[in-house]
Amino acid sequence: MGNQIYITASLGVAVFPDDSSDIDELLKFCDFAMYKSKHKGKNMCTFFDKQISEAYFRKLLIESELKNSITNNELDIFYQPQINALNNEIIGVEALIRWNNNKLGNVSPAEFIPIAENIGYITQIGDWILDKSLKMTCKWKNKGYKFNTISVNISPIQIKRSDFKDNIINACSKYDIQPSSLEIEITEGTLVEICKDKIRVLNELIESGVNIAIDDFGTGYSSLNYLTTLPVNTLKIDKSFIDNIKSKNNQAVIKSIVHLSKSLKYKIITEGVETKEQVDLLIGLECNIIQGYYFSKPLSERNFENLLKSQSETLKSRKLLSCN
């Protein structure tokens, strides 16, 4: 007795008949406007208007078109190299999904991936990305091109599947790829929120050789305790730290992450590196593995293979010079 309870409400409003004369459609519009209230900070009221209407119908169109994206061959993968800045050699590559639709044009992954998760289509997309990425890895390895790992982003919905681990191991086996050549990227939020049973699955994947990276490290959770208990091989420092790397505070944070990672035997990758000044500062902070536009933007399959071929020829030339 005597306890105070505080209640907040996120409201969405659609007006009859201005927005629609159909009851079911009006309810959908109200629901969509309500979610806009939540996204704007909660505890507010949002009216369904033309701008919201455009966003709503675009979302519906994305949902509809996305379901046929694989069968219509609309999805593609671009590859962004991860470079050892000390010798400019490619040590890894991240596979990045792209979608070009006849009605929508190029749609950003930041827009369509959450929608794919909401409609349950992310599992099909995730399986497609994994299969195509490992197929290309097999092709490039058979041509003699050198790199250690290919990184694939994994949705929390994929991890919740009972066949998650088997799918990954079977995909590696299908293309005769060592599990150690695959790195799956998971966000901090995903890693912290998944249940103990799935933590066991991730540990089993690590034991099989698969690498696990925390993507966008430093943006999700202030507690570092989970690093000592959850399965991790790699930390990818978020671009926001790199953008402000001139700041002494940011440099101090990066340096602390590096020292922590060395103690825990984690690999460090810095994302979003765009200038030589950033590269030089990162090398000084002992962050040598770099991913970003300074070295290369994400490349099509053909252009990335040309990059691998160029590196292979350079390495051969170095060996010949050293032998002479």
Side-chain angles (χ1 to χ4, degrees):
M1 297 293 293
N3 294 330
Q4 289 184 321
I5 299 175
Y6 296 92
I7 298 175
T8 62
S10 297
L11 304 178
V13 177
V15 178
F16 172 90
D18 295 350
D19 295 324
S20 176
S21 57
D22 181 88
I23 294 176
D24 290 334
E25 193 169 53
L26 277 172
L27 288 173
K28 290 179 182 178
F29 290 170
C30 282
D31 189 56
F32 195 74
M34 180 267 293
Y35 277 105
K36 286 293 181 181
S37 292
K38 289 185 175 182
H39 291 156
K40 289 189 289 186
K42 301 182 180 179
N43 198 28
M44 61 176 61
C45 177
T46 301
F47 281 81
F48 190 82
D49 59 18
K50 182 179 179 181
Q51 185 176 4
I52 293 177
S53 173
E54 290 173 353
Y56 175 78
F57 286 112
R58 178 174 173 83
K59 179 176 177 291
L60 289 182
L61 183 58
I62 289 175
E63 287 180 357
S64 174
E65 293 296 308
L66 196 56
K67 293 176 182 178
N68 298 311
S69 59
I70 293 177
T71 55
N72 291 342
N73 294 316
E74 295 175 350
L75 296 180
D76 198 4
I77 295 179
F78 275 49
Y79 301 87
Q80 188 169 35
Q82 297 163 346
I83 307 290
N84 183 342
L86 298 180
N87 56 18
N88 288 344
E89 290 183 9
I90 301 170
I91 57 94
V93 54
E94 181 178 359
L96 298 164
I97 186 76
R98 297 291 183 264
W99 181 32
N100 190 335
N101 176 261
N102 288 334
K103 296 180 181 178
L104 293 157
N106 289 309
V107 186
S108 166
E111 184 178 19
F112 75 78
I113 290 297
I115 294 174
E117 291 177 333
N118 287 336
I119 65 176
Y121 195 64
I122 192 65
T123 54
Q124 291 94 321
I125 291 177
D127 288 344
W128 181 86
I129 295 170
L130 181 66
D131 186 83
K132 183 171 175 60
S133 298
L134 291 178
K135 182 178 181 180
M136 291 310 305
T137 300
C138 176
K139 173 185 175 182
W140 291 328
K141 294 278 189 183
N142 287 339
K143 288 187 175 183
Y145 299 139
K146 305 289 185 183
F147 59 94
N148 297 334
T149 57
I150 185 162
S151 299
V152 177
N153 291 278
I154 298 294
S155 163
I157 294 174
Q158 291 175 264
I159 297 176
K160 292 175 183 177
R161 291 170 56 183
S162 59
D163 59 353
F164 171 65
K165 184 188 75 172
D166 290 339
N167 278 352
I168 288 179
I169 298 301
N170 291 339
C172 290
S173 177
K174 177 181 178 181
Y175 293 108
D176 196 24
I177 296 295
Q178 291 295 321
S180 58
S181 294
L182 174 64
E183 183 166 77
I184 60 175
E185 295 195 11
I186 303 171
T187 63
E188 285 184 85
T190 298
L191 198 55
V192 172
E193 292 172 8
I194 56 179
C195 64
K196 290 183 179 179
D197 183 52
K198 297 308 177 184
I199 293 295
R200 177 182 55 80
V201 170
L202 294 180
N203 273 313
E204 290 173 357
L205 280 173
I206 284 182
E207 290 170 2
S208 73
V210 175
N211 300 280
I212 297 178
I214 298 182
D215 196 16
D216 301 332
F217 180 73
T219 60
Y221 288 79
S222 57
S223 173
L224 298 179
N225 180 59
Y226 67 89
L227 289 181
T228 65
T229 58
L230 299 179
V232 178
N233 301 100
T234 302
L235 301 181
K236 298 190 75 175
I237 299 178
D238 186 65
K239 184 180 185 297
S240 60
F241 289 101
I242 310 306
D243 289 341
N244 299 298
I245 196 172
K246 291 182 183 180
S247 162
K248 294 298 181 183
N249 288 342
N250 270 26
Q251 290 182 30
V253 170
I254 294 172
K255 196 169 186 178
S256 298
I257 294 172
V258 171
H259 289 164
L260 175 66
S261 300
K262 283 187 175 181
S263 298
L264 296 173
K265 295 181 171 57
Y266 295 159
K267 180 173 69 176
I268 285 280
I269 299 177
T270 50
E271 298 183 287
V273 181
E274 298 179 351
T275 68
K276 186 177 188 306
E277 183 180 20
Q278 290 173 340
V279 171
D280 292 340
L281 287 170
L282 287 167
I283 291 175
L285 294 169
E286 300 181 56
C287 297
N288 303 327
I289 304 177
I290 289 173
Q291 180 178 343
Y293 276 37
Y294 176 76
F295 283 109
S296 174
K297 64 181 181 180
L299 300 171
S300 66
E301 174 188 315
R302 178 180 178 182
N303 288 337
F304 184 72
E305 181 166 334
N306 288 338
L307 188 64
L308 288 172
K309 183 178 180 181
S310 176
Q311 174 176 275
S312 179
E313 291 171 351
T314 299
L315 292 175
K316 287 179 182 178
S317 298
R318 287 179 187 173
K319 286 182 180 179
L320 288 173
L321 288 173
S322 61
C323 290
N324 294 332

